Amino acid sequence: MIVWTVANQKGGVGKTTTTVTLGGLLAERSERVLLVDTDPHASLTYYFGIDSEQLEMSVFDLFIKGKNVKKEEIIQMLCPSTIEGLDILPATMALATLDRTLGSKTGMGLILKNALEVLSDEYDYAIIDCPPVLGVLMVNALAASSRILVPVQTEFLALKGLERMLRTMELMQSSQSKAYRYTIVPTMYDKRTKASLEAYHRLREMYGDRVWTSVIPVDTKFRDASLAQQPPSTYAPKSRGVFAYSTLLTYLQQKR
Ligand SMILES: Nc1ncnc2c1ncn2[C@@H]1O[C@H](COP(=O)(O)OP(=O)(O)OP(=O)(O)O)[C@@H](O)[C@H]1O
Ligand SMILES: [Mg+2]
């Protein structure tokens, strides 16, 4: 199983949209996909029409069960989606308490990695959607994945946040003795504005080939898809936004 994490401490940059769209596209390419929602706000969970407040189990229970969790127990936590081959490990509000209750306990950073290893025969890909917060959940997500996708809004202020995010990742990298591979994904690119163009050039200048060679355009279909509670790849398969994510997916699959 290949595990990707979608992370950026900045809110509203397209993390959940990236996770959902890539997940939908992977399922279309006949891959078995698990999407993991680690955001207490449960946006990804709601995206699939799953009412987080009604759930009896969620990713939170992984942290309660700890390292010796059994495969059957994890399978009970999963929700199917309306798309064949695409399942969700949902989030609940309870996740918001994790940092306070378990954050400082040792061994808590590898809970998600361990759980995904237990499930590794069941799926070809897992994509983890992170909350815009650096805490025990993001630490878990980073440790579990082989590649990190960092969506960055193509505007000047977003670049500042990116520097901070990458520095944090480097710090964590030294504590986990693991080199993260990451791909910066420019999002919400508006070709009519100078700010978008400049931000994109600046990204390329600063981060070189760690920046994806293309961009995700601004596309209102993404918001419409989330309102319709359908992945963009199903809701608007011919939209330019979905086309851009499809190009990104091919790029990532070649990189591995
Ligand atoms: N390329 C895009 N063009 C236009 N709107 C977009 C695009 N990508 C995402 N959006 C919209 O922007 C909003 C924020 O996107 P999203 O929820 O994916 O961000 P996020 O990084 O997950 O946010 P949070 O940090 O709150 O979890 C949503 O309403 C989404 O539909
Ligand atoms: Mg989100």
Side-chain angles (χ1 to χ4, degrees), residues 88-119:
I88 319 293
L89 179 49
T92 47
M93 263 318 268
L95 284 171
T97 62
L98 272 187
D99 273 303
R100 194 159 27 90
T101 51
L102 301 174
S104 54
K105 249 171 92 176
T106 48
M108 278 298 151
L110 297 175
I111 295 286
L112 196 52
K113 181 182 165 70
N114 175 63
L116 293 178
E117 276 166 9
V118 172
L119 283 184

Side-chain angles (χ1 to χ4, degrees), residues 8-18 39 41 43 47 129-132 151 187-189 216-224 226 245:
N8 190 332
Q9 277 161 283
K10 188 164 159 49
V13 295
K15 294 182 289 295
T16 303
T17 304
T18 299
D39 187 345
H41 290 114
S43 318
Y47 216 116
D129 184 23
C130 288
T187 60
M188 303 184 199
Y189 183 82
I216 304 295
V218 171
D219 189 340
T220 52
K221 289 283 192 300
F222 287 119
R223 199 157 279 149
D224 298 345
S226 70
Y245 273 109

